[in-house]
Amino acid sequence: MSDTFLELLRIHFGYSEFHGFQHQVIQHLANGRHALIVAPTGSGKSLCFQIPALATHDATALTVVLSPLIALMKDQVDALRKRNIDATCIHSLLPSGARQTRYEELEGGKYRLLYVTPERFRKASFLQSIRNRHVQLLAVDEAHCVSEWGHDFRPDYSRLREIREHLGNPTTLFLTATATSDVRQDIVSQMGLDGSEVTLFSEGIDRPNLSLDVTNVWDEDEKIEHIARLIRDWQGNGSGIVYVTLIKTLERMSEALLQLGISHNTYHGSLSANERRRMQEDFMNGNSPVVLATGAFGMGIDKEDIRFVIHAETPASIEAYYQEVGRAGRDGQPSQCVWLYDQQDLMTQMQFISWRNPDVDFFVRTHQFLTDQNEKCRSFGLDWLNERLQRVSRHDHRLDTALGLMDRHGVVAGARPPDCFQVLSPLPDALTDQNRVAEKLRRDQTRLYALVEYANTPADERQTFLRNYFA
C-alpha cells in the first residue's frame, strides 16, 4: 500500500516523497486508527486525509472533511479540482439548484472528498444524500474549535460526537496548528473517545526562519510610522499582512497609509462576500501584495512568499498570534513578524473576553425573555432583545455568545433568527453552574496574561516560550 500512496502523491500533487509525519499518519489511518495532528500552518496536514481518500477502491467510500469557514472550504476544493481530484463542498452560499444537484450527485456515488461545515448536518436533505455512502474517514479541520477551552470555540463543533455517530463512527483525524495540552485532551473527550484510542502526531512549533519581534509603542501615530517603514523595507520582495483587531481602527490606519502613498487592500467582515473574495484574489496573484485585515483573513491561504506579518493591535491569544504569524515564510525563507505592543490594547481584548463569557444571570435573563416575551422577541428582533438585556453598548456581543451556547445545549432551535426564538428546554447545569462559568472566564483571562508574558520575553527566548506554551 505504501507504493500506492507514493504513486498517488506523485500523480496528483507532483511530489516524489512524503514530508515529516505524512506517510506515518496515512498508514496509521489506513489501519483504521484515529489520529490528532498538531503541526504549523503550511506543513502539509491536509495530504494526510487527501491521499487515503484517493487510495480506496470502494465506489461508495467518502471522506468527509468538517471545516469552520465556507471560504476556507471553497479554496481547498478549488485547489483539489485543479488537480483533477473528485471533491466538492456544500454550503449555504450555493444557489438552491446547485446545492440540490450536489445532493443528487452525492447520493449517486460521486465525489471522493466532501467538505462541509458542521451546521450542514442539521439539514434533512443533506442527511438523505449521504445515507448510502460509506464514510471511511472523518477529518476535522481546525479541530481546536471543538474545545470550549480553546481560543476559537464554535458551538456547532460541539456536535461532532453526534455527527460522527451519524456517520457510523468512522476513523477520525483531527488537525490543528494550535492546541495546548488541555485543548488536545478536550478535543478527544468531546468526541467520546478515550485518549488511548487517538495517537498524537506533533511536528513541534518551531519556525526558525521567522524573526519574532515585539516593539513597544505609545499611540496609533507611532504604529503607523512602524507599519509604513516595514512595508517600504519589504516592498518588491514579497507580500505581507497587517492584522488589526477593530474595523474602525483598520479604517483609520488604512486612510493614514494611503496619505503616505502606501498602496494596500483592506479585508474585514463588513465587506460583502464578493469584495472579500476579490481582495483575497488580488493578494494571492500579487496585484495587491499588502493587506490590512482582521483576524479572519489568511485562514487556508497557501501563499509561500508572505515576507512579513504585523500585528498592529494585541492579538486575541497566543494561539491566534501563532496561527497568524505562521502564515509567513512558508517557503522557508527569512520572514519578519512584528507585534506593535501598546498596553492600552489590552483593554480591547479584556472587553472581548467579557463578551465571550456571559455570567449566569445573563443566561437566565435571556432565557426568561425568550420564554415570557417570545412574541415581542420575534416581532422586534435581536436588537430589541439586546437593548433590554444590557444598556451599556449596542456593540456588546454577549447575546450572540449566549444564543450560540444555548443552541449548543439544545435550549433553542438555532443560534440565529428565527430559530433562536424557539425555546426547546430549560437552561442546563452547564450554563447555570457558577463555578463552571467562572472557570471558563479564568482560562480566557489566563491566555491574555500569557500574551503579556510573551511580550516581555527576550527576543532570543520567544521560540522557547511558544514551545513551552504548546507543550
Side-chain angles (χ1 to χ4, degrees), residues 6 20 29 76 80 95 105 147 177 278 300 314 354 389 408 413 419 449 461:
L6 280 170
L29 297 171
Q76 292 177 341
L80 290 172
E105 290 172 338
S147 175
R278 179 173 58 81
T314 294
S354 174
L389 289 169
R408 173 200 175 189
D419 295 334
Y449 179 67
E461 297 178 15

Side-chain angles (χ1 to χ4, degrees), residues 109-125:
K110 185 172 172 58
Y111 304 120
R112 294 289 188 92
L113 282 145
L114 169 65
Y115 287 73
V116 291
T117 62
E119 293 91 331
R120 185 56 34 187
F121 283 82
R122 297 171 182 260
K123 308 295 183 181
S125 52

Side-chain angles (χ1 to χ4, degrees), residues 247-317:
I247 294 176
K248 63 181 181 181
T249 309
L250 185 152
E251 291 173 339
R252 285 199 309 270
M253 288 186 168
S254 174
E255 181 62 30
L257 290 173
L258 289 174
Q259 290 178 3
L260 293 172
I262 295 176
S263 177
H264 61 276
N265 269 343
T266 57
Y267 183 105
H268 54 77
S270 293
L271 299 175
S272 69
N274 287 337
E275 287 176 309
R276 293 197 302 272
R277 170 64 58 183
R278 179 173 58 81
M279 299 296 182
Q280 183 168 314
E281 289 174 351
D282 284 348
F283 180 73
M284 291 298 292
N285 61 31
N287 288 340
S288 183
V290 177
V291 175
L292 266 66
T294 54
F297 183 79
M299 186 174 284
I301 283 181
D302 189 9
K303 186 170 174 60
E304 292 189 340
D305 70 338
I306 297 177
R307 295 275 73 89
F308 66 89
V309 170
I310 303 170
H311 282 89
E313 293 186 283
T314 294
S317 63

Side-chain angles (χ1 to χ4, degrees), residues 92-164:
S92 59
L93 297 184
L94 283 174
S96 58
R99 198 159 51 240
Q100 183 58 38
T101 297
R102 294 187 191 183
Y103 283 161
E104 292 170 359
E105 290 172 338
L106 264 176
E107 194 166 4
K110 185 172 172 58
Y111 304 120
R112 294 289 188 92
L113 282 145
L114 169 65
Y115 287 73
V116 291
T117 62
E119 293 91 331
R120 185 56 34 187
F121 283 82
R122 297 171 182 260
K123 308 295 183 181
S125 52
F126 170 70
L127 297 177
Q128 171 78 7
S129 72
I130 61 170
R131 74 190 193 286
N132 293 325
R133 298 299 297 269
H134 168 221
V135 178
Q136 65 170 10
L137 179 62
L138 172 63
V140 182
D141 202 9
E142 307 295 338
H144 54 270
C145 296
V146 173
S147 175
E148 189 174 350
W149 309 124
H151 73 285
D152 195 20
F153 171 65
R154 296 173 185 248
D156 264 289
Y157 259 63
S158 65
R159 298 177 181 271
L160 293 192
R161 180 174 183 174
E162 174 187 333
I163 290 171
R164 184 171 176 271

